[in-house]
Amino acid sequence: MDQPVYDYIFSGFGLAAYLSLDAMLENGCLEGKQILIIDSPETTVEKTWSYWERGKGRYDALLLASWKKGWFVSPNQQTECLQPELIYKSISSVALRNYLVEKIGKQDNISITFENVVDFSDDRNHINLTTDRNRYHSKKLFNSIPKANLNFGNTPVLLQHFVGWVIESPQLPFVQDEMLLMDFTVPQQNATRFMYVLPFSQTQALFEYTLFSPNLIDKHEYEQEIRAYLSRKNITDYTIQKTESGVIPMTVYPFWKANTKNILHIGTAGGWTKPGTGYTFLNAVPLAAKLARDLKNHNTDFTHFFKTNRFLWYDRLLIDVLYRDNAIGQKLFTQLFTKANPANVLRFLQQQTNVWQELPILLACPTLPFLKAAVRSLRPYKK
């Protein structure tokens, strides 16, 4: 059946919706508006999002853990990446969701329904949205549900894919307050493979076997590599408390071209994942803040929301290089983190550097592969 016309509808209630709603509530742009959140009736899988930032942050009270030192490790070199001012942080999706649900519960103009979105369209005047139970209308739609079977055309797509174990063990060798951002001492097998380690305490840590590659591998191979890594670290007495896995597309595909005057695709569906790293939280916070500002300032033609910049071009080169020669990853990241200032590399990945800070980073990259990628970048991608 048809429902009343809402001002804003959120289709999907995940990270991008959490951050966007939080930013909107903070700047008061939802006052006098009627908002509907359409969430999936399926059980939400708990996720952990990680990011780095300077000093104290907005969500520090919700953090699962944080670390003041982060190491990049390769077979012959290691370097600390966070000092002097960056802090690496992890937050649980459950903590962030509960925070938002509590905040929303205090608003009488925001409601949540649990339905499956089937279709939606923009007739330039308002949005028509159909679920498996109802038809809804709104002035604006924020969609975070990725389109199924998306055709990327000839746009290269790397996958960041991983399996992680949270283990409990009396044998953990880690120094308190330090984590491993990338440990490239694992066998590369002609691909870009590394271990990512977050120690939560002296007896508990996450070990995540991660690949940046065009194709997935068998599940048992991830687990086999985690076991082998633990064995090399002399960690033999442990219990697996929790497992997690994921596949994150790394691509500069122009998701934003699907935006219309009244429909804004957010999150992974809108290209809010940082193409060159696969980090979403880090990239989504400023985009959510921009969305809230635009609504506050009545800049509501979403065809103008996304702005390209030089960082998108950098991401395009990195993805192109790794897509064509996936075995170069260990060499590439080792040169980045050891020849350039590693803290500046992280700021660069956060799009917070100027061109003078970026020059040493670009010069640290393998020259010939990136020159070839730069030439290829002059040709537009096609669907």
Side-chain angles (χ1 to χ4, degrees), residues 68-84 178-185 330 332-346:
K68 292 182 179 178
K69 285 189 176 182
W71 292 93
F72 172 89
V73 181
S74 63
N76 300 312
Q77 294 171 289
Q78 67 177 31
T79 185
E80 203 283 307
C81 307
L82 298 175
Q83 294 295 316
E178 299 186 11
M179 52 81 67
L180 292 178
L181 186 67
M182 290 175 134
D183 184 345
F184 272 101
T185 60
Q330 182 190 70
L332 166 58
F333 286 105
T334 298
Q335 291 186 193
L336 273 178
F337 280 99
T338 58
K339 290 188 175 183
N341 181 313
N344 276 350
V345 172
L346 292 182

Side-chain angles (χ1 to χ4, degrees), residues 186-362:
V186 300
Q188 295 298 285
Q189 302 178 53
N190 292 314
T192 300
R193 305 176 180 226
F194 59 91
M195 195 67 72
Y196 168 72
V197 183
L198 299 180
F200 298 122
S201 70
Q202 292 184 332
T203 59
Q204 186 187 68
L206 166 69
F207 292 82
E208 197 166 270
Y209 185 66
T210 305
L211 291 85
F212 293 170
S213 66
N215 302 304
L216 303 180
I217 59 176
D218 290 336
K219 182 181 178 181
H220 81 273
E221 189 174 346
Y222 301 95
E223 297 173 340
Q224 178 180 314
E225 292 298 333
I226 296 174
R227 290 190 189 95
Y229 184 85
L230 293 174
S231 178
R232 288 195 296 273
K233 297 294 182 182
N234 296 316
I235 304 171
T236 56
D237 178 13
Y238 61 87
T239 56
I240 302 171
Q241 294 191 318
K242 187 168 63 172
T243 63
E244 61 179 42
S245 62
V247 180
I248 302 169
M250 300 169 64
T251 177
V252 293
Y253 177 84
F255 294 93
W256 60 88
K257 289 187 176 180
N259 295 338
T260 68
K261 182 176 184 292
N262 299 310
I263 298 174
L264 180 67
H265 296 277
I266 63 176
T268 301
W272 284 24
T273 296
K274 172 70 172 168
T277 65
Y279 280 82
T280 301
F281 195 101
L282 198 66
N283 215 42
V285 169
L287 290 169
K290 172 179 164 33
L291 172 56
R293 288 195 305 271
D294 284 356
L295 294 178
K296 186 78 170 180
N297 297 327
H298 307 289
N299 299 326
T300 55
D301 182 347
F302 296 138
T303 58
H304 303 305
F305 180 81
F306 188 88
K307 306 294 183 185
T308 59
N309 56 34
R310 67 185 184 280
F311 292 100
L312 188 67
W313 184 67
Y314 297 150
D315 284 335
R316 177 173 178 170
L317 299 186
L318 176 64
I319 291 168
D320 185 278
V321 167
L322 289 177
Y323 184 83
R324 292 173 181 273
D325 182 8
N326 201 229
I328 202 175
Q330 182 190 70
K331 175 183 176 181
L332 166 58
F333 286 105
T334 298
Q335 291 186 193
L336 273 178
F337 280 99
T338 58
K339 290 188 175 183
N341 181 313
N344 276 350
V345 172
L346 292 182
R347 295 187 193 94
F348 170 75
L349 295 174
Q350 204 172 1
Q351 304 185 177
Q352 292 182 349
T353 49
N354 59 47
V355 291
W356 299 111
Q357 292 170 318
E358 291 154 23
L359 186 58
I361 295 170
L362 298 176

Side-chain angles (χ1 to χ4, degrees), residues 9-277:
I9 289 180
F10 284 83
S11 58
F13 192 41
L15 176 61
Y18 302 158
L19 296 175
S20 297
L21 278 164
D22 196 32
M24 292 174 189
L25 287 166
E26 281 301 303
N27 80 354
C29 66
L30 298 185
E31 293 177 6
K33 307 290 186 182
Q34 292 299 313
I35 296 94
L36 176 67
I37 301 166
I38 304 176
D39 194 12
S40 170
E42 298 177 4
T43 303
T44 303
V45 177
E46 182 179 0
K47 299 179 180 180
T48 301
W49 295 300
S50 296
Y51 57 102
W52 57 86
E53 64 181 345
R54 296 182 182 180
K56 293 182 179 179
R58 175 171 179 77
Y59 298 104
D60 280 6
L62 306 177
L63 292 179
L64 187 63
S66 63
W67 300 265
K68 292 182 179 178
K69 285 189 176 182
W71 292 93
F72 172 89
V73 181
S74 63
N76 300 312
Q77 294 171 289
Q78 67 177 31
T79 185
E80 203 283 307
C81 307
L82 298 175
Q83 294 295 316
E85 64 210 25
L86 297 176
I87 299 175
Y88 197 84
K89 304 178 179 184
S90 284
I91 188 170
S92 163
S93 61
V94 173
L96 190 57
R97 183 186 179 96
N98 290 343
Y99 163 80
L100 259 298
V101 168
E102 181 180 354
K103 207 166 183 179
I104 289 167
K106 299 175 182 177
Q107 311 293 319
D108 58 10
N109 62 332
I110 304 177
S111 55
I112 303 179
T113 185
F114 295 91
E115 304 173 36
N116 291 307
V117 174
V118 176
D119 194 19
F120 52 78
S121 62
D122 178 3
D123 68 7
R124 300 289 296 175
N125 294 315
H126 64 275
I127 300 299
N128 303 297
L129 185 147
T130 305
T131 72
D132 54 357
R133 289 169 45 194
N134 294 294
R135 291 193 301 271
Y136 296 100
H137 308 289
S138 70
K139 297 175 183 177
K140 302 289 179 182
L141 172 66
F142 307 110
N143 172 61
S144 58
I145 302 174
K147 183 179 179 181
N149 302 317
L150 185 65
N151 179 14
F152 289 98
N154 69 338
T155 308
V157 180
L158 274 180
L159 301 175
Q160 179 182 147
H161 47 112
F162 57 87
V163 168
W165 289 355
V166 175
I167 70 165
E168 186 80 25
S169 172
Q171 299 173 321
L172 298 186
F174 306 108
V175 177
Q176 190 174 4
D177 212 20
E178 299 186 11
M179 52 81 67
L180 292 178
L181 186 67
M182 290 175 134
D183 184 345
F184 272 101
T185 60
V186 300
Q188 295 298 285
Q189 302 178 53
N190 292 314
T192 300
R193 305 176 180 226
F194 59 91
M195 195 67 72
Y196 168 72
V197 183
L198 299 180
F200 298 122
S201 70
Q202 292 184 332
T203 59
Q204 186 187 68
L206 166 69
F207 292 82
E208 197 166 270
Y209 185 66
T210 305
L211 291 85
F212 293 170
S213 66
N215 302 304
L216 303 180
I217 59 176
D218 290 336
K219 182 181 178 181
H220 81 273
E221 189 174 346
Y222 301 95
E223 297 173 340
Q224 178 180 314
E225 292 298 333
I226 296 174
R227 290 190 189 95
Y229 184 85
L230 293 174
S231 178
R232 288 195 296 273
K233 297 294 182 182
N234 296 316
I235 304 171
T236 56
D237 178 13
Y238 61 87
T239 56
I240 302 171
Q241 294 191 318
K242 187 168 63 172
T243 63
E244 61 179 42
S245 62
V247 180
I248 302 169
M250 300 169 64
T251 177
V252 293
Y253 177 84
F255 294 93
W256 60 88
K257 289 187 176 180
N259 295 338
T260 68
K261 182 176 184 292
N262 299 310
I263 298 174
L264 180 67
H265 296 277
I266 63 176
T268 301
W272 284 24
T273 296
K274 172 70 172 168
T277 65

